[in-house]
Amino acid sequence: MDKKKHLFKKIFFFWDWSIFEKLLLLINFVVTLGLLIYQCYIGGYTDWRVWIAFISNIFNIVSVILATKKMLSCFVWGIIAVIGFGAVSLGNKEFGNVLLYWAFYVISQIIAIYLWNKHKDNKNLVKPTNIKLWHLLIILISTVGLIIGFFFIERIPSFQNWWYHNENIHSWYHNLLDASVLMLSIMMTVFTWLRFRQRWIISIVVDSCQVSLWSIQLVEGSLTNMSAAIMIVSSITMLTCAIYGVINWRK
């Protein structure tokens, strides 16, 4: 019975989290709840994107914080988060993100559970490792090449008409951010599978790009798209977690 109580508290009350981790989650929750209430006030309750963004954001932040703590359970929370974020991206015509979340992230969470489970200790924590420098250089060069390639594909008018369904034909800057997020996120995910500490460095870049990407969406929506605003808050929180992860995974 004591073991069950211990597990219940650990999952639902985050009793072993640090003050910083609890504050990070609380601040994110309060800010995004405020944006949700504001959206309901200015646009009613009909915008499904803001509701899904709010719920997915909470699951995502819990997932990322658990990842910084090297806990296997992070991926259970992550699966729910990425399904929701894919829906929000679809509603905002961010098709690069839709592809990323639904076609890659959902499956990658399941793969990560399998791989991390093979390297966990008796506390369900995994031990981080480092990638060899020359491997890192090869992967970085390949990723930059893929970013450039996908960027030029996105700039082809016929592709844009198909990709964006003749809507939201974006600027080159937006296309570059979209391509960077897609390719770097795939790289970051593989690094997560292999427990490389460098995954947090890549995460800092990805989250910074996501802040810019969703800021463009917010501005293009005349500052009334609160689902984009919630995604910005989520990305900023994830950026903070990535910096925190760099520190934690050095131990």
Side-chain angles (χ1 to χ4, degrees), residues 5-197:
K5 258 188 201 178
H6 179 77
L7 182 61
F8 182 81
K9 287 183 178 180
K10 192 168 184 179
I11 293 175
F12 294 101
F13 295 100
F14 317 115
W15 65 276
D16 62 341
W17 285 26
S18 68
I19 294 176
F20 171 77
E21 292 160 354
K22 290 175 182 176
L23 277 176
L24 191 63
L25 180 61
L26 178 62
I27 292 171
N28 177 272
F29 175 78
V30 170
V31 173
T32 53
L33 179 62
L35 292 171
L36 175 65
I37 293 171
Y38 177 71
Q39 176 67 46
C40 293
Y41 174 74
I42 64 173
Y45 299 87
T46 57
D47 190 348
W48 59 269
R49 296 172 302 176
V50 70
W51 289 93
I52 295 180
F54 172 72
I55 296 169
S56 302
N57 163 68
I58 301 303
F59 275 88
N60 186 57
I61 299 308
V62 172
S63 172
V64 176
I65 292 176
L66 290 174
T68 66
K69 296 163 71 65
K70 312 166 197 168
M71 298 185 70
L72 181 62
S73 57
C74 68
F75 300 113
V76 178
W77 293 83
I79 289 173
I80 300 173
V82 297
I83 291 173
F85 281 157
V88 175
S89 299
L90 182 64
N92 284 286
K93 304 293 191 300
E94 287 290 349
F95 294 104
N97 269 337
V98 174
L99 184 66
L100 184 66
Y101 286 122
W102 283 356
F104 183 72
Y105 271 165
V106 172
I107 297 173
S108 74
Q109 302 288 314
I110 298 170
I111 295 173
I113 290 173
Y114 171 75
L115 292 176
W116 276 34
N117 191 56
K118 295 169 68 175
H119 298 278
K120 67 179 182 179
D121 59 19
N122 56 1
K123 294 181 180 179
N124 282 335
L125 304 180
V126 296
K127 184 178 180 180
T129 185
N130 289 309
I131 186 174
K132 292 181 180 179
L133 180 59
W134 69 276
H135 285 166
L136 179 61
L137 290 175
I138 292 173
I139 292 172
L140 281 174
I141 292 170
S142 301
T143 302
V144 170
L146 289 170
I147 290 171
I148 294 171
F150 192 69
F151 165 73
F152 280 110
I153 290 174
E154 282 208 34
R155 298 303 296 165
I156 298 172
S158 58
F159 179 85
Q160 289 204 1
N161 288 334
W162 169 75
W163 189 250
Y164 296 110
H165 297 280
N166 296 309
E167 297 182 53
N168 290 7
I169 306 301
H170 298 304
S171 65
W172 69 268
Y173 178 66
H174 189 287
N175 293 140
L176 181 60
L177 284 173
D178 195 41
S180 299
V181 167
L182 180 60
M183 298 306 170
L184 286 173
S185 294
I186 292 173
M187 178 182 174
M188 180 184 69
T189 301
V190 174
F191 277 30
T192 302
W193 291 347
L194 301 175
R195 298 166 289 113
F196 290 149
R197 291 182 174 90

Side-chain angles (χ1 to χ4, degrees), residues 182-216:
L182 180 60
M183 298 306 170
L184 286 173
S185 294
I186 292 173
M187 178 182 174
M188 180 184 69
T189 301
V190 174
F191 277 30
T192 302
W193 291 347
L194 301 175
R195 298 166 289 113
F196 290 149
R197 291 182 174 90
Q198 291 75 14
R199 65 88 65 207
W200 294 107
I201 303 296
I202 303 169
S203 181
I204 290 173
V205 179
V206 170
D207 295 332
S208 299
C209 290
Q210 287 281 35
V211 171
S212 299
L213 198 62
W214 287 105
S215 296
I216 293 172

